[in-house]
Amino acid sequence: MLTKLTAHKLLTETGQIDYPILTIEDGRIVSLESGPPNGSTETLTAAFFDIHVHGACSHDFMAASPSEIAEVGRFLAIRGVGHYLPTTVTGPIDATLRALDTLAHAIEDASTDGVAPTAIPVGIHLEGPFISHHKRGVHPACCIQEPSIELFKRFQQAARGQIRLMTLAPGLPHVLELIEHATASGVRVTMGHSNATASETLAAIAAGATSSTHLFNAMRALDHREPGITGTILDRDDVYAEAICDGLHVDPAIVRLWFKMKGEERAILVTDGTSATGMPDGIYALGNFTVEVKDGVCLSDGTLSGSVLTMDQAVENLQRFTGAPLGTAVRLASRNPARMLGLEHLTALTPGAPANFNVYNEVGERLGSIFSGWRVT
């Protein structure tokens, strides 16, 4: 069945189309053209793509059941996310293998034909265990592993090839070999939880690393004589960089610096959302340990432990912190993560792409979403 969708304007990957007319069939865009003025005041954008999220609705991806993973997907859709990468955290190897198996089933069984709109998991982000003890954040020290191709192969086998993104710490023994192996197998490598120097970071980039995990957080600080991992990533025009734009993990002034340095083409918004997202203050799980949420801040032993940020709020915060227009902010939350992963088709808003949109009013307030013909408010 064909359906028509119109709006005042459509913000695309590169610009905007006034008075768009979209034809949709079976949840995908069939055609897109510009028509005459139609009286609408709404703006359509691409749905968001969160590549770094650990859970929501009290459910953590390291232990969530299939039904709980589905519940997280429905919550993310309400906040404008069309696709996402469920993200692990460092834990015991057996627990990680079990989580990867469950997440792989959820990805394989994912469908847009359900009874309610849902964000679709399209791969796994393996955050840990190949990270630095010096910059582990809240990742349990006892579960950190030295980079190992053999252990990565076990993880990927359990995930049935669904690991699409892996956080690694430059500077660790054997990390360059693992970066080269993962990259050759189609897995993107993002650098994080690292005390690496500039030279160690450059070596990781040369080996194939393409992005950084929550820049500034859990990594060597910028120094004017040793740029380290932070300064090197800011300086490189060919490397993407995540940021958690909640005003807590990164001060708004540093968000502005990150945005100026990485620009509209390489900056990526992520949430690092935990099982506490969408829930009241309290105690929640993150992997095999707990975090306390008070006044919206996630802490474990006094250390920031993920967030309760949602992507619609991150987009709003970026506009407020930097003055970026809506179209730019949305691209950081949709086009850029998709491009980094080589999944541009998921957010392209071109014929054949999923008909997933966020809907904004004339003053830039988000009204809801449209997923495969379902309108979510």
Side-chain angles (χ1 to χ4, degrees), residues 101-112:
D101 175 71
T102 301
L103 291 170
H105 277 295
I107 293 165
E108 292 162 353
D109 294 342
S111 171
T112 59

Side-chain angles (χ1 to χ4, degrees), residues 48 50 53 55-59 61 67-82 84 116-120 271 273-280 307-312 366 369 371 376-377:
F48 308 134
D50 194 349
V53 56
C57 309
S58 80
H59 306 310
F61 287 133
S67 63
E68 291 168 343
I69 294 170
E71 185 178 346
V72 174
R74 290 190 290 272
F75 172 84
L76 294 177
I78 291 171
R79 306 313 290 261
V81 176
Y84 70 102
T118 183
I120 302 298
T271 63
T274 64
S275 63
T277 306
M279 303 298 292
S307 82
V308 294
L309 181 67
T310 55
M311 193 61 85
D312 56 339
R366 185 173 166 274
S369 304
F371 290 122
V376 189
T377 56

Side-chain angles (χ1 to χ4, degrees), residues 153-210:
K153 286 180 177 179
R154 288 183 65 192
F155 288 149
Q156 188 66 300
Q157 183 177 16
R160 292 186 294 289
Q162 296 292 352
I163 297 173
R164 284 190 177 270
L165 184 65
M166 176 167 56
T167 293
L168 294 176
L172 296 182
H174 313 299
V175 74
L176 299 182
E177 295 96 318
L178 181 52
I179 293 172
E180 290 173 350
H181 173 82
T183 301
S185 66
V187 176
R188 299 294 198 269
V189 171
T190 175
M191 301 170 286
H193 285 280
S194 173
N195 199 38
T197 63
S199 62
E200 290 168 335
T201 306
L202 289 169
I205 295 169
T210 60

Side-chain angles (χ1 to χ4, degrees), residues 33-275:
E33 58 186 359
S34 179
N38 52 36
S40 173
T41 59
E42 294 182 336
T43 294
L44 301 179
T45 75
F48 308 134
F49 188 174
D50 194 349
I51 62 172
H52 191 156
V53 56
H54 295 279
C57 309
S58 80
H59 306 310
D60 180 82
F61 287 133
M62 289 294 289
S65 67
S67 63
E68 291 168 343
I69 294 170
E71 185 178 346
V72 174
R74 290 190 290 272
F75 172 84
L76 294 177
I78 291 171
R79 306 313 290 261
V81 176
H83 298 88
Y84 70 102
L85 299 186
T87 304
T88 63
V89 67
T90 301
I93 291 175
D94 287 347
T96 301
L97 293 170
R98 287 194 298 271
L100 292 172
D101 175 71
T102 301
L103 291 170
H105 277 295
I107 293 165
E108 292 162 353
D109 294 342
S111 171
T112 59
D113 299 327
V115 296
T118 183
I120 302 298
V122 292
I124 298 167
H125 178 174
L126 186 73
E127 186 184 16
F130 308 123
I131 60 174
S132 166
H133 280 274
H134 297 290
K135 294 294 181 181
R136 64 182 178 87
V138 296
H139 289 240
C142 61
C143 297
I144 292 173
Q145 302 289 327
E146 186 173 285
S148 163
I149 291 176
E150 290 308 310
L151 182 53
F152 167 72
K153 286 180 177 179
R154 288 183 65 192
F155 288 149
Q156 188 66 300
Q157 183 177 16
R160 292 186 294 289
Q162 296 292 352
I163 297 173
R164 284 190 177 270
L165 184 65
M166 176 167 56
T167 293
L168 294 176
L172 296 182
H174 313 299
V175 74
L176 299 182
E177 295 96 318
L178 181 52
I179 293 172
E180 290 173 350
H181 173 82
T183 301
S185 66
V187 176
R188 299 294 198 269
V189 171
T190 175
M191 301 170 286
H193 285 280
S194 173
N195 199 38
T197 63
S199 62
E200 290 168 335
T201 306
L202 289 169
I205 295 169
T210 60
S211 186
S212 67
T213 300
H214 45 51
L215 189 67
F216 304 107
N217 297 116
M219 58 179 57
R220 179 190 287 258
L222 176 65
D223 182 89
H224 62 292
R225 291 192 177 92
E226 171 49 75
I229 182 173
T230 304
T232 303
I233 290 167
L234 287 172
D235 184 54
R236 289 287 295 232
D237 292 338
D238 57 342
V239 176
Y240 291 89
E242 295 178 3
I244 307 169
C245 196
D246 60 358
L248 299 169
H249 283 77
V250 184
D251 185 87
I254 301 301
V255 171
R256 289 190 287 274
L257 173 64
W258 160 78
F259 184 55
K260 288 175 183 176
M261 296 300 292
K262 302 314 298 181
E264 188 175 341
E265 299 298 318
R266 290 291 184 268
I268 294 176
L269 288 172
V270 296
T271 63
D272 202 7
T274 64
S275 63

